[in-house]
Amino acid sequence: MPLISPSNLTELVERTLIAAGSEPAEAQVVADHLVRANLAGHDSHGVGMLTNYLPGIKNGLLNVNQESETWMDSGPMLGVDGHRGFGQRIARETLDKAIPKAHEHGVALVGLRRCHHIGRIGTYAEQCSQAGLISLHFVNVQDHRPLVAAFRGKEAVFGTNPICFGMPAQGKSPEILLDMATSQIALGKTRVAYLGGKTVPHGAVISAEGELSDQPSVMWEEPFGALTPLAEHKGYALALMCEILGGVMTGGGSIAPQNERLGGIVNNMMSILIDPARFTQTDYLVKEMEQLTEFVKGSAPAGNLPVILPGDPERSTHAQRSQGIEFDQGNWDSLVEVAQTVGVNWNA
Ligand code: NAD
């Protein structure tokens, strides 16, 4: 199976994006984001996304080198429109503008709308954490056909609407990162399983006939079924809140069929940034976070596996993969094929 170093992979992705029309600075930010998603273990949001992005550029669903437009800048509030530009670049630039606002006001509220796919949301929580800020992110997905059924439904009515919370490291307490789709699994996980000839956890998908299944083909071969919501009514309700905060409140719009649906992936995101130093004493915060995380992580395991913290899996996968990222043949071949469409040979 192909094994490639993160730096070689980043260089291949950059060259491919430049060949597809991106300026080098944009290609570098997007490549870095995608490879870091692979390093974090989220292959569903890693370089495999090129198989979506390159056809998207060709079909006019994703605009390369698109500048964002600020539609509101008022005290702690910032509103940005991405005009279907590369989401990884526009979301990063938007948070770069919001971070000083949170330092100045103690909080910042960011409405980012109409970006092409912004990728792994944890990247933005990490960006805020590195600036010493707590962050919360609520995202909806538009333009794409709905993928996730409501609780008690079998028809897809939502995107995989991720939520993400980040808390910066405090003393010996590591950075806490909750970054998850509100479906049981992300769509990209069914793509990776489908191309790799694997199954998904039983019940993570429901067939068009309404049968719970472990077959990723349910999402990739017609008649399409749906992903099921996380934790029944709870994930369903969180997905609805992402539509309200991420979609409706940013002005990007919800997934309702009256809004544009051209077949691309458009993300809207509402982010709340909090400066913990403006709310608590740093000594108190460090002591509380150290005591809390030690207490939780030190609790007795129910089986063979230890209790870990949200963010631990990404950290340990990053450490394991820093020498090389492995691809199964199906996923690698699909990347080779799509890179060839812009004249870049990944097997050279
Ligand atoms: P997941 O199920 O792999 O992980 C979710 C979270 O659970 C992570 O924060 C992880 O640290 C934590 N976690 C995992 N095991 C744990 C354990 N044993 N104890 C404590 N915490 C644990 O993630 P997912 O739902 O499949 O999402 C994958 C990625 O897809 C995310 O990065 C998300 O942002 C991204 N996504 C993006 C979009 C979009 O439209 N841009 C849509 C959906 C998902």
Side-chain angles (χ1 to χ4, degrees), residues 33 37 40-45 49 53 88 116-124 139-142 147 159-165 176-189 230 265-268 305-315:
H33 179 117
H42 293 293
D43 294 337
S44 56
H45 287 68
M49 286 308 300
Y53 298 167
Q88 288 89 347
H116 191 266
H117 193 230
I118 59 178
R120 172 182 172 249
I121 312 306
T123 310
Y124 310 113
V139 181
N140 84 327
V141 192
Q142 277 181 308
L147 298 170
T160 48
N161 293 6
I163 55 172
C164 178
F165 303 159
I176 309 289
L177 177 71
L178 171 64
D179 172 27
M180 60 178 211
T182 49
S183 50
Q184 287 202 47
I185 59 170
L187 176 70
K189 294 212 160 126
L230 175 78
I265 311 175
V266 169
N267 278 144
N268 304 294
L305 297 170
V307 173
I308 56 173
L309 297 169
D312 281 346
E314 287 77 7
R315 260 187 297 278

Side-chain angles (χ1 to χ4, degrees), residues 24 27 42 55 69 86 101 114 140 191-192 194 198 204 217 234 236 239 254 334:
H42 293 293
E69 177 201 355
F86 252 122
K101 284 179 174 287
R114 287 195 276 264
N140 84 327
R191 174 173 50 80
V192 173
Y194 183 58
K198 300 190 177 116
S217 56
K234 300 177 189 180
Y236 153 52
S254 78
S334 68

Side-chain angles (χ1 to χ4, degrees), residues 16 19-20 50-58 333-346:
T16 306
L50 290 177
T51 58
N52 175 284
Y53 298 167
L54 298 190
I57 293 168
K58 209 167 166 186
D333 290 348
S334 68
L335 281 163
V336 170
E337 195 181 317
V338 81
Q340 263 161 5
T341 65
V342 291
V344 179
N345 182 0
W346 277 40

Side-chain angles (χ1 to χ4, degrees), residues 8 17 77 100 146 174 234 258 336:
N8 285 350
L17 290 171
M77 296 193 287
K234 300 177 189 180
Q258 291 80 358
V336 170

